PDB file of all heavy atoms in Angstrom:
ATOM      1  N   LYS A  16       0.823  -1.198  -0.001  1.00 90.00           N
ATOM      2  CA  LYS A  16       0.017  -0.017  -0.006  1.00 90.00           C
ATOM      3  C   LYS A  16       0.897   1.239  -0.001  1.00 90.00           C
ATOM      4  O   LYS A  16       0.557   2.201  -0.712  1.00 90.00           O
ATOM      5  CB  LYS A  16      -0.938  -0.008   1.225  1.00 90.00           C
ATOM      6  CG  LYS A  16      -1.947   1.069   1.287  1.00 90.00           C
ATOM      7  CD  LYS A  16      -2.868   0.922   2.452  1.00 90.00           C
ATOM      8  CE  LYS A  16      -3.910   2.013   2.510  1.00 90.00           C
ATOM      9  NZ  LYS A  16      -4.764   1.906   3.697  1.00 90.00           N
ATOM     10  N   GLU A  17       1.965   1.217   0.752  1.00 89.00           N
ATOM     11  CA  GLU A  17       2.907   2.386   0.800  1.00 89.00           C
ATOM     12  C   GLU A  17       3.490   2.603  -0.571  1.00 89.00           C
ATOM     13  O   GLU A  17       3.549   3.746  -1.057  1.00 89.00           O
ATOM     14  CB  GLU A  17       4.012   2.085   1.797  1.00 89.00           C
ATOM     15  CG  GLU A  17       5.080   3.117   1.902  1.00 89.00           C
ATOM     16  CD  GLU A  17       6.322   2.642   2.617  1.00 89.00           C
ATOM     17  OE1 GLU A  17       6.522   1.440   2.758  1.00 89.00           O
ATOM     18  OE2 GLU A  17       7.102   3.513   3.062  1.00 89.00           O
ATOM     19  N   ARG A  18       3.955   1.539  -1.218  1.00 90.00           N
ATOM     20  CA  ARG A  18       4.540   1.658  -2.586  1.00 90.00           C
ATOM     21  C   ARG A  18       3.555   2.205  -3.589  1.00 90.00           C
ATOM     22  O   ARG A  18       3.877   3.080  -4.414  1.00 90.00           O
ATOM     23  CB  ARG A  18       5.106   0.341  -3.025  1.00 90.00           C
ATOM     24  CG  ARG A  18       6.468  -0.063  -2.443  1.00 90.00           C
ATOM     25  CD  ARG A  18       7.092  -1.209  -3.159  1.00 90.00           C
ATOM     26  NE  ARG A  18       6.256  -2.390  -3.090  1.00 90.00           N
ATOM     27  CZ  ARG A  18       6.345  -3.354  -2.176  1.00 90.00           C
ATOM     28  NH1 ARG A  18       7.195  -3.198  -1.223  1.00 90.00           N
ATOM     29  NH2 ARG A  18       5.555  -4.423  -2.248  1.00 90.00           N
ATOM     30  N   ALA A  19       2.330   1.689  -3.530  1.00 90.00           N
ATOM     31  CA  ALA A  19       1.306   2.112  -4.494  1.00 90.00           C
ATOM     32  C   ALA A  19       0.980   3.622  -4.346  1.00 90.00           C
ATOM     33  O   ALA A  19       0.864   4.349  -5.327  1.00 90.00           O
ATOM     34  CB  ALA A  19       0.041   1.282  -4.344  1.00 90.00           C
ATOM     35  N   ALA A  20       0.855   4.060  -3.067  1.00 89.00           N
ATOM     36  CA  ALA A  20       0.565   5.461  -2.872  1.00 89.00           C
ATOM     37  C   ALA A  20       1.715   6.394  -3.317  1.00 89.00           C
ATOM     38  O   ALA A  20       1.466   7.412  -3.938  1.00 89.00           O
ATOM     39  CB  ALA A  20       0.272   5.684  -1.376  1.00 89.00           C
ATOM     40  N   ALA A  21       2.907   5.964  -2.963  1.00 89.00           N
ATOM     41  CA  ALA A  21       4.069   6.803  -3.322  1.00 89.00           C
ATOM     42  C   ALA A  21       4.227   6.826  -4.875  1.00 89.00           C
ATOM     43  O   ALA A  21       4.460   7.890  -5.457  1.00 89.00           O
ATOM     44  CB  ALA A  21       5.338   6.213  -2.725  1.00 89.00           C
ATOM     45  N   HIS A  22       4.023   5.681  -5.502  1.00 89.00           N
ATOM     46  CA  HIS A  22       4.162   5.607  -6.966  1.00 89.00           C
ATOM     47  C   HIS A  22       3.119   6.480  -7.644  1.00 89.00           C
ATOM     48  O   HIS A  22       3.376   7.112  -8.716  1.00 89.00           O
ATOM     49  CB  HIS A  22       4.084   4.183  -7.440  1.00 89.00           C
ATOM     50  CG  HIS A  22       4.388   4.044  -8.891  1.00 89.00           C
ATOM     51  ND1 HIS A  22       3.398   3.851  -9.853  1.00 89.00           N
ATOM     52  CD2 HIS A  22       5.548   4.040  -9.528  1.00 89.00           C
ATOM     53  CE1 HIS A  22       3.920   3.767 -11.031  1.00 89.00           C
ATOM     54  NE2 HIS A  22       5.265   3.853 -10.864  1.00 89.00           N
ATOM     55  N   ARG A  23       1.933   6.581  -7.104  1.00 88.00           N
ATOM     56  CA  ARG A  23       0.889   7.345  -7.727  1.00 88.00           C
ATOM     57  C   ARG A  23       1.321   8.869  -7.809  1.00 88.00           C
ATOM     58  O   ARG A  23       1.146   9.488  -8.826  1.00 88.00           O
ATOM     59  CB  ARG A  23      -0.422   7.228  -6.909  1.00 88.00           C
ATOM     60  CG  ARG A  23      -1.565   8.024  -7.554  1.00 88.00           C
ATOM     61  CD  ARG A  23      -2.903   7.640  -6.846  1.00 88.00           C
ATOM     62  NE  ARG A  23      -2.915   8.103  -5.414  1.00 88.00           N
ATOM     63  CZ  ARG A  23      -2.852   7.294  -4.420  1.00 88.00           C
ATOM     64  NH1 ARG A  23      -2.681   5.974  -4.587  1.00 88.00           N
ATOM     65  NH2 ARG A  23      -2.916   7.753  -3.206  1.00 88.00           N
ATOM     66  N   HIS A  24       1.920   9.333  -6.728  1.00 85.00           N
ATOM     67  CA  HIS A  24       2.287  10.741  -6.677  1.00 85.00           C
ATOM     68  C   HIS A  24       3.597  11.006  -7.450  1.00 85.00           C
ATOM     69  O   HIS A  24       3.748  12.035  -8.119  1.00 85.00           O
ATOM     70  CB  HIS A  24       2.414  11.189  -5.242  1.00 85.00           C
ATOM     71  CG  HIS A  24       1.058  11.296  -4.542  1.00 85.00           C
ATOM     72  ND1 HIS A  24       0.124  12.190  -4.901  1.00 85.00           N
ATOM     73  CD2 HIS A  24       0.544  10.535  -3.568  1.00 85.00           C
ATOM     74  CE1 HIS A  24      -0.981  12.032  -4.129  1.00 85.00           C
ATOM     75  NE2 HIS A  24      -0.716  11.024  -3.307  1.00 85.00           N
ATOM     76  N   THR A  25       4.532  10.074  -7.415  1.00 86.00           N
ATOM     77  CA  THR A  25       5.748  10.318  -8.239  1.00 86.00           C
ATOM     78  C   THR A  25       5.444  10.214  -9.702  1.00 86.00           C
ATOM     79  O   THR A  25       6.064  10.942 -10.513  1.00 86.00           O
ATOM     80  CB  THR A  25       6.847   9.255  -7.842  1.00 86.00           C
ATOM     81  OG1 THR A  25       6.360   7.942  -8.004  1.00 86.00           O
ATOM     82  CG2 THR A  25       7.340   9.514  -6.396  1.00 86.00           C
ATOM     83  N   SER A  26       4.500   9.406 -10.067  1.00 86.00           N
ATOM     84  CA  SER A  26       4.058   9.325 -11.507  1.00 86.00           C
ATOM     85  C   SER A  26       3.410  10.636 -11.895  1.00 86.00           C
ATOM     86  O   SER A  26       3.657  11.165 -12.986  1.00 86.00           O
ATOM     87  CB  SER A  26       3.135   8.155 -11.741  1.00 86.00           C
ATOM     88  OG  SER A  26       3.791   6.925 -11.496  1.00 86.00           O
ATOM     89  N   ASP A  27       2.593  11.166 -11.040  1.00 80.00           N
ATOM     90  CA  ASP A  27       1.892  12.457 -11.331  1.00 80.00           C
ATOM     91  C   ASP A  27       2.920  13.591 -11.553  1.00 80.00           C
ATOM     92  O   ASP A  27       2.693  14.496 -12.361  1.00 80.00           O
ATOM     93  CB  ASP A  27       0.961  12.874 -10.198  1.00 80.00           C
ATOM     94  CG  ASP A  27      -0.301  11.979 -10.145  1.00 80.00           C
ATOM     95  OD1 ASP A  27      -0.551  11.286 -11.114  1.00 80.00           O
ATOM     96  OD2 ASP A  27      -0.949  12.008  -9.133  1.00 80.00           O
ATOM     97  N   LEU A  28       4.079  13.504 -10.897  1.00 79.00           N
ATOM     98  CA  LEU A  28       5.114  14.518 -10.973  1.00 79.00           C
ATOM     99  C   LEU A  28       6.159  14.136 -12.023  1.00 79.00           C
ATOM    100  O   LEU A  28       7.148  14.871 -12.175  1.00 79.00           O
ATOM    101  CB  LEU A  28       5.785  14.740  -9.627  1.00 79.00           C
ATOM    102  CG  LEU A  28       4.904  15.249  -8.476  1.00 79.00           C
ATOM    103  CD1 LEU A  28       5.682  15.469  -7.216  1.00 79.00           C
ATOM    104  CD2 LEU A  28       4.196  16.523  -8.903  1.00 79.00           C
ATOM    105  N   ALA A  29       5.957  13.067 -12.771  1.00 78.00           N
ATOM    106  CA  ALA A  29       6.853  12.625 -13.816  1.00 78.00           C
ATOM    107  C   ALA A  29       8.256  12.448 -13.288  1.00 78.00           C
ATOM    108  O   ALA A  29       9.275  12.880 -13.924  1.00 78.00           O
ATOM    109  CB  ALA A  29       6.885  13.615 -14.981  1.00 78.00           C
ATOM    110  N   LEU A  30       8.412  11.703 -12.150  1.00 80.00           N
ATOM    111  CA  LEU A  30       9.730  11.378 -11.638  1.00 80.00           C
ATOM    112  C   LEU A  30      10.431  10.544 -12.690  1.00 80.00           C
ATOM    113  O   LEU A  30       9.875   9.606 -13.267  1.00 80.00           O
ATOM    114  CB  LEU A  30       9.603  10.572 -10.354  1.00 80.00           C
ATOM    115  CG  LEU A  30      10.889  10.249  -9.660  1.00 80.00           C
ATOM    116  CD1 LEU A  30      11.372  11.397  -8.773  1.00 80.00           C
ATOM    117  CD2 LEU A  30      10.743   9.008  -8.786  1.00 80.00           C
ATOM    118  N   SER A  31      11.706  10.867 -12.951  1.00 76.00           N
ATOM    119  CA  SER A  31      12.482  10.127 -13.964  1.00 76.00           C
ATOM    120  C   SER A  31      13.871   9.727 -13.458  1.00 76.00           C
ATOM    121  O   SER A  31      14.578  10.566 -12.907  1.00 76.00           O
ATOM    122  CB  SER A  31      12.643  10.996 -15.228  1.00 76.00           C
ATOM    123  OG  SER A  31      13.355  10.345 -16.214  1.00 76.00           O
ATOM    124  N   PRO A  32      14.222   8.442 -13.517  1.00 75.00           N
ATOM    125  CA  PRO A  32      13.371   7.344 -14.055  1.00 75.00           C
ATOM    126  C   PRO A  32      12.259   6.983 -13.080  1.00 75.00           C
ATOM    127  O   PRO A  32      12.361   7.212 -11.870  1.00 75.00           O
ATOM    128  CB  PRO A  32      14.345   6.228 -14.229  1.00 75.00           C
ATOM    129  CG  PRO A  32      15.420   6.473 -13.251  1.00 75.00           C
ATOM    130  CD  PRO A  32      15.557   7.983 -13.169  1.00 75.00           C
ATOM    131  N   ASP A  33      11.238   6.352 -13.570  1.00 79.00           N
ATOM    132  CA  ASP A  33      10.065   5.992 -12.778  1.00 79.00           C
ATOM    133  C   ASP A  33      10.380   4.715 -11.962  1.00 79.00           C
ATOM    134  O   ASP A  33       9.795   3.653 -12.166  1.00 79.00           O
ATOM    135  CB  ASP A  33       8.849   5.778 -13.687  1.00 79.00           C
ATOM    136  CG  ASP A  33       7.572   5.610 -12.860  1.00 79.00           C
ATOM    137  OD1 ASP A  33       7.582   5.955 -11.647  1.00 79.00           O
ATOM    138  OD2 ASP A  33       6.552   5.238 -13.432  1.00 79.00           O
ATOM    139  N   ARG A  34      11.287   4.896 -10.976  1.00 83.00           N
ATOM    140  CA  ARG A  34      11.743   3.778 -10.161  1.00 83.00           C
ATOM    141  C   ARG A  34      11.797   4.215  -8.673  1.00 83.00           C
ATOM    142  O   ARG A  34      12.805   4.458  -8.100  1.00 83.00           O
ATOM    143  CB  ARG A  34      13.161   3.338 -10.629  1.00 83.00           C
ATOM    144  CG  ARG A  34      13.232   2.749 -11.988  1.00 83.00           C
ATOM    145  CD  ARG A  34      12.807   1.293 -11.953  1.00 83.00           C
ATOM    146  NE  ARG A  34      13.574   0.517 -10.960  1.00 83.00           N
ATOM    147  CZ  ARG A  34      14.785   0.010 -11.175  1.00 83.00           C
ATOM    148  NH1 ARG A  34      15.401   0.235 -12.322  1.00 83.00           N
ATOM    149  NH2 ARG A  34      15.462  -0.622 -10.218  1.00 83.00           N
ATOM    150  N   PRO A  35      10.637   4.292  -8.067  1.00 84.00           N
ATOM    151  CA  PRO A  35      10.591   4.758  -6.650  1.00 84.00           C
ATOM    152  C   PRO A  35      11.267   3.792  -5.700  1.00 84.00           C
ATOM    153  O   PRO A  35      11.426   4.147  -4.535  1.00 84.00           O
ATOM    154  CB  PRO A  35       9.121   4.958  -6.381  1.00 84.00           C
ATOM    155  CG  PRO A  35       8.409   4.162  -7.393  1.00 84.00           C
ATOM    156  CD  PRO A  35       9.271   4.119  -8.629  1.00 84.00           C
ATOM    157  N   ASP A  36      11.628   2.610  -6.158  1.00 87.00           N
ATOM    158  CA  ASP A  36      12.325   1.666  -5.238  1.00 87.00           C
ATOM    159  C   ASP A  36      13.790   1.983  -5.140  1.00 87.00           C
ATOM    160  O   ASP A  36      14.465   1.516  -4.239  1.00 87.00           O
ATOM    161  CB  ASP A  36      12.153   0.230  -5.782  1.00 87.00           C
ATOM    162  CG  ASP A  36      12.656   0.092  -7.200  1.00 87.00           C
ATOM    163  OD1 ASP A  36      12.191   0.893  -8.065  1.00 87.00           O
ATOM    164  OD2 ASP A  36      13.425  -0.814  -7.532  1.00 87.00           O
ATOM    165  N   ARG A  37      14.341   2.834  -6.023  1.00 88.00           N
ATOM    166  CA  ARG A  37      15.718   3.152  -5.973  1.00 88.00           C
ATOM    167  C   ARG A  37      16.057   4.152  -4.889  1.00 88.00           C
ATOM    168  O   ARG A  37      15.176   5.038  -4.523  1.00 88.00           O
ATOM    169  CB  ARG A  37      16.171   3.755  -7.379  1.00 88.00           C
ATOM    170  CG  ARG A  37      16.410   2.719  -8.417  1.00 88.00           C
ATOM    171  CD  ARG A  37      16.803   3.400  -9.726  1.00 88.00           C
ATOM    172  NE  ARG A  37      17.751   4.466  -9.639  1.00 88.00           N
ATOM    173  CZ  ARG A  37      18.213   5.114 -10.631  1.00 88.00           C
ATOM    174  NH1 ARG A  37      17.840   4.845 -11.840  1.00 88.00           N
ATOM    175  NH2 ARG A  37      19.115   6.132 -10.474  1.00 88.00           N
ATOM    176  N   PRO A  38      17.276   4.176  -4.340  1.00 90.00           N
ATOM    177  CA  PRO A  38      17.665   5.137  -3.329  1.00 90.00           C
ATOM    178  C   PRO A  38      17.543   6.593  -3.920  1.00 90.00           C
ATOM    179  O   PRO A  38      17.980   6.796  -5.029  1.00 90.00           O
ATOM    180  CB  PRO A  38      19.099   4.778  -2.984  1.00 90.00           C
ATOM    181  CG  PRO A  38      19.256   3.340  -3.376  1.00 90.00           C
ATOM    182  CD  PRO A  38      18.344   3.173  -4.544  1.00 90.00           C
ATOM    183  N   VAL A  39      17.047   7.442  -3.090  1.00 89.00           N
ATOM    184  CA  VAL A  39      16.858   8.809  -3.603  1.00 89.00           C
ATOM    185  C   VAL A  39      18.153   9.544  -3.978  1.00 89.00           C
ATOM    186  O   VAL A  39      18.182  10.410  -4.820  1.00 89.00           O
ATOM    187  CB  VAL A  39      16.029   9.675  -2.575  1.00 89.00           C
ATOM    188  CG1 VAL A  39      16.903  10.058  -1.376  1.00 89.00           C
ATOM    189  CG2 VAL A  39      15.367  10.852  -3.202  1.00 89.00           C
ATOM    190  N   ARG A  40      19.255   9.071  -3.370  1.00 86.00           N
ATOM    191  CA  ARG A  40      20.564   9.721  -3.671  1.00 86.00           C
ATOM    192  C   ARG A  40      21.008   9.460  -5.093  1.00 86.00           C
ATOM    193  O   ARG A  40      21.893  10.192  -5.620  1.00 86.00           O
ATOM    194  CB  ARG A  40      21.629   9.150  -2.734  1.00 86.00           C
ATOM    195  CG  ARG A  40      21.917   7.661  -2.830  1.00 86.00           C
ATOM    196  CD  ARG A  40      23.015   7.198  -1.884  1.00 86.00           C
ATOM    197  NE  ARG A  40      23.205   5.733  -1.979  1.00 86.00           N
ATOM    198  CZ  ARG A  40      23.860   5.101  -2.907  1.00 86.00           C
ATOM    199  NH1 ARG A  40      24.488   5.794  -3.870  1.00 86.00           N
ATOM    200  NH2 ARG A  40      23.963   3.795  -2.921  1.00 86.00           N
ATOM    201  N   THR A  41      20.433   8.463  -5.783  1.00 83.00           N
ATOM    202  CA  THR A  41      20.834   8.158  -7.172  1.00 83.00           C
ATOM    203  C   THR A  41      20.071   9.016  -8.150  1.00 83.00           C
ATOM    204  O   THR A  41      20.320   8.876  -9.393  1.00 83.00           O
ATOM    205  CB  THR A  41      20.526   6.650  -7.527  1.00 83.00           C
ATOM    206  OG1 THR A  41      19.169   6.418  -7.417  1.00 83.00           O
ATOM    207  CG2 THR A  41      21.256   5.753  -6.504  1.00 83.00           C
ATOM    208  N   PHE A  42      19.164   9.894  -7.728  1.00 82.00           N
ATOM    209  CA  PHE A  42      18.392  10.737  -8.635  1.00 82.00           C
ATOM    210  C   PHE A  42      19.061  12.102  -8.735  1.00 82.00           C
ATOM    211  O   PHE A  42      19.756  12.558  -7.835  1.00 82.00           O
ATOM    212  CB  PHE A  42      16.926  10.820  -8.129  1.00 82.00           C
ATOM    213  CG  PHE A  42      16.125   9.613  -8.332  1.00 82.00           C
ATOM    214  CD1 PHE A  42      16.235   8.539  -7.551  1.00 82.00           C
ATOM    215  CD2 PHE A  42      15.245   9.522  -9.409  1.00 82.00           C
ATOM    216  CE1 PHE A  42      15.499   7.377  -7.718  1.00 82.00           C
ATOM    217  CE2 PHE A  42      14.486   8.351  -9.662  1.00 82.00           C
ATOM    218  CZ  PHE A  42      14.621   7.275  -8.784  1.00 82.00           C
ATOM    219  N   SER A  43      18.697  12.821  -9.820  1.00 76.00           N
ATOM    220  CA  SER A  43      19.163  14.179 -10.023  1.00 76.00           C
ATOM    221  C   SER A  43      18.490  15.136  -9.022  1.00 76.00           C
ATOM    222  O   SER A  43      17.528  14.799  -8.356  1.00 76.00           O
ATOM    223  CB  SER A  43      18.863  14.658 -11.433  1.00 76.00           C
ATOM    224  OG  SER A  43      17.452  14.783 -11.607  1.00 76.00           O
ATOM    225  N   GLY A  44      19.075  16.343  -8.970  1.00 76.00           N
ATOM    226  CA  GLY A  44      18.488  17.342  -8.001  1.00 76.00           C
ATOM    227  C   GLY A  44      17.066  17.638  -8.279  1.00 76.00           C
ATOM    228  O   GLY A  44      16.228  17.745  -7.338  1.00 76.00           O
ATOM    229  N   GLY A  45      16.675  17.747  -9.555  1.00 77.00           N
ATOM    230  CA  GLY A  45      15.275  18.052  -9.912  1.00 77.00           C
ATOM    231  C   GLY A  45      14.321  16.937  -9.459  1.00 77.00           C
ATOM    232  O   GLY A  45      13.255  17.187  -8.924  1.00 77.00           O
ATOM    233  N   ASN A  46      14.768  15.689  -9.639  1.00 84.00           N
ATOM    234  CA  ASN A  46      13.915  14.577  -9.238  1.00 84.00           C
ATOM    235  C   ASN A  46      13.895  14.365  -7.737  1.00 84.00           C
ATOM    236  O   ASN A  46      12.865  13.923  -7.188  1.00 84.00           O
ATOM    237  CB  ASN A  46      14.353  13.315  -9.953  1.00 84.00           C
ATOM    238  CG  ASN A  46      13.953  13.305 -11.466  1.00 84.00           C
ATOM    239  OD1 ASN A  46      12.774  13.226 -11.728  1.00 84.00           O
ATOM    240  ND2 ASN A  46      14.925  13.434 -12.325  1.00 84.00           N
ATOM    241  N   GLN A  47      14.981  14.734  -7.058  1.00 87.00           N
ATOM    242  CA  GLN A  47      14.934  14.723  -5.570  1.00 87.00           C
ATOM    243  C   GLN A  47      13.943  15.744  -5.087  1.00 87.00           C
ATOM    244  O   GLN A  47      13.170  15.470  -4.124  1.00 87.00           O
ATOM    245  CB  GLN A  47      16.340  14.954  -5.024  1.00 87.00           C
ATOM    246  CG  GLN A  47      17.349  13.901  -5.215  1.00 87.00           C
ATOM    247  CD  GLN A  47      18.706  14.258  -4.744  1.00 87.00           C
ATOM    248  OE1 GLN A  47      18.945  15.368  -4.346  1.00 87.00           O
ATOM    249  NE2 GLN A  47      19.620  13.310  -4.799  1.00 87.00           N
ATOM    250  N   GLN A  48      13.862  16.898  -5.735  1.00 85.00           N
ATOM    251  CA  GLN A  48      12.892  17.924  -5.319  1.00 85.00           C
ATOM    252  C   GLN A  48      11.495  17.373  -5.557  1.00 85.00           C
ATOM    253  O   GLN A  48      10.588  17.694  -4.791  1.00 85.00           O
ATOM    254  CB  GLN A  48      13.157  19.204  -6.065  1.00 85.00           C
ATOM    255  CG  GLN A  48      12.329  20.418  -5.600  1.00 85.00           C
ATOM    256  CD  GLN A  48      12.810  20.884  -4.193  1.00 85.00           C
ATOM    257  OE1 GLN A  48      12.506  20.224  -3.248  1.00 85.00           O
ATOM    258  NE2 GLN A  48      13.523  21.981  -4.170  1.00 85.00           N
ATOM    259  N   LYS A  49      11.307  16.674  -6.660  1.00 87.00           N
ATOM    260  CA  LYS A  49       9.993  16.093  -6.897  1.00 87.00           C
ATOM    261  C   LYS A  49       9.557  15.132  -5.819  1.00 87.00           C
ATOM    262  O   LYS A  49       8.399  15.029  -5.452  1.00 87.00           O
ATOM    263  CB  LYS A  49       9.931  15.404  -8.280  1.00 87.00           C
ATOM    264  CG  LYS A  49       9.968  16.361  -9.461  1.00 87.00           C
ATOM    265  CD  LYS A  49       9.977  15.594 -10.779  1.00 87.00           C
ATOM    266  CE  LYS A  49      10.043  16.496 -11.982  1.00 87.00           C
ATOM    267  NZ  LYS A  49      10.075  15.731 -13.250  1.00 87.00           N
ATOM    268  N   ALA A  50      10.544  14.385  -5.265  1.00 89.00           N
ATOM    269  CA  ALA A  50      10.224  13.432  -4.202  1.00 89.00           C
ATOM    270  C   ALA A  50       9.748  14.201  -2.967  1.00 89.00           C
ATOM    271  O   ALA A  50       8.823  13.728  -2.281  1.00 89.00           O
ATOM    272  CB  ALA A  50      11.446  12.599  -3.912  1.00 89.00           C
ATOM    273  N   VAL A  51      10.383  15.326  -2.688  1.00 90.00           N
ATOM    274  CA  VAL A  51       9.971  16.156  -1.532  1.00 90.00           C
ATOM    275  C   VAL A  51       8.532  16.610  -1.767  1.00 90.00           C
ATOM    276  O   VAL A  51       7.679  16.603  -0.851  1.00 90.00           O
ATOM    277  CB  VAL A  51      10.925  17.336  -1.310  1.00 90.00           C
ATOM    278  CG1 VAL A  51      10.373  18.198  -0.150  1.00 90.00           C
ATOM    279  CG2 VAL A  51      12.358  16.844  -1.005  1.00 90.00           C
ATOM    280  N   LEU A  52       8.227  17.130  -2.952  1.00 88.00           N
ATOM    281  CA  LEU A  52       6.873  17.611  -3.244  1.00 88.00           C
ATOM    282  C   LEU A  52       5.895  16.485  -3.181  1.00 88.00           C
ATOM    283  O   LEU A  52       4.736  16.666  -2.700  1.00 88.00           O
ATOM    284  CB  LEU A  52       6.836  18.279  -4.655  1.00 88.00           C
ATOM    285  CG  LEU A  52       7.697  19.508  -4.858  1.00 88.00           C
ATOM    286  CD1 LEU A  52       7.612  20.023  -6.242  1.00 88.00           C
ATOM    287  CD2 LEU A  52       7.311  20.610  -3.874  1.00 88.00           C
ATOM    288  N   ALA A  53       6.266  15.332  -3.698  1.00 88.00           N
ATOM    289  CA  ALA A  53       5.356  14.151  -3.603  1.00 88.00           C
ATOM    290  C   ALA A  53       4.954  13.804  -2.174  1.00 88.00           C
ATOM    291  O   ALA A  53       3.889  13.349  -1.884  1.00 88.00           O
ATOM    292  CB  ALA A  53       5.965  12.973  -4.324  1.00 88.00           C
ATOM    293  N   ARG A  54       5.923  13.994  -1.246  1.00 91.00           N
ATOM    294  CA  ARG A  54       5.672  13.730   0.140  1.00 91.00           C
ATOM    295  C   ARG A  54       4.475  14.549   0.657  1.00 91.00           C
ATOM    296  O   ARG A  54       3.558  14.031   1.316  1.00 91.00           O
ATOM    297  CB  ARG A  54       6.899  14.059   0.960  1.00 91.00           C
ATOM    298  CG  ARG A  54       6.665  13.935   2.471  1.00 91.00           C
ATOM    299  CD  ARG A  54       7.894  14.441   3.223  1.00 91.00           C
ATOM    300  NE  ARG A  54       9.083  13.684   2.835  1.00 91.00           N
ATOM    301  CZ  ARG A  54      10.320  14.073   3.182  1.00 91.00           C
ATOM    302  NH1 ARG A  54      10.576  15.176   3.860  1.00 91.00           N
ATOM    303  NH2 ARG A  54      11.374  13.355   2.769  1.00 91.00           N
TER     304      ARG A  54
END
């Protein structure tokens, strides 16, 4: 349920790549900011 809810919002924000299972440190600065907004 946690993964599904998080994925719904990261998809809405077009997180790239669409891999919310990956550590956030491996994403670019823009996509890290999207993760904060998705929260």
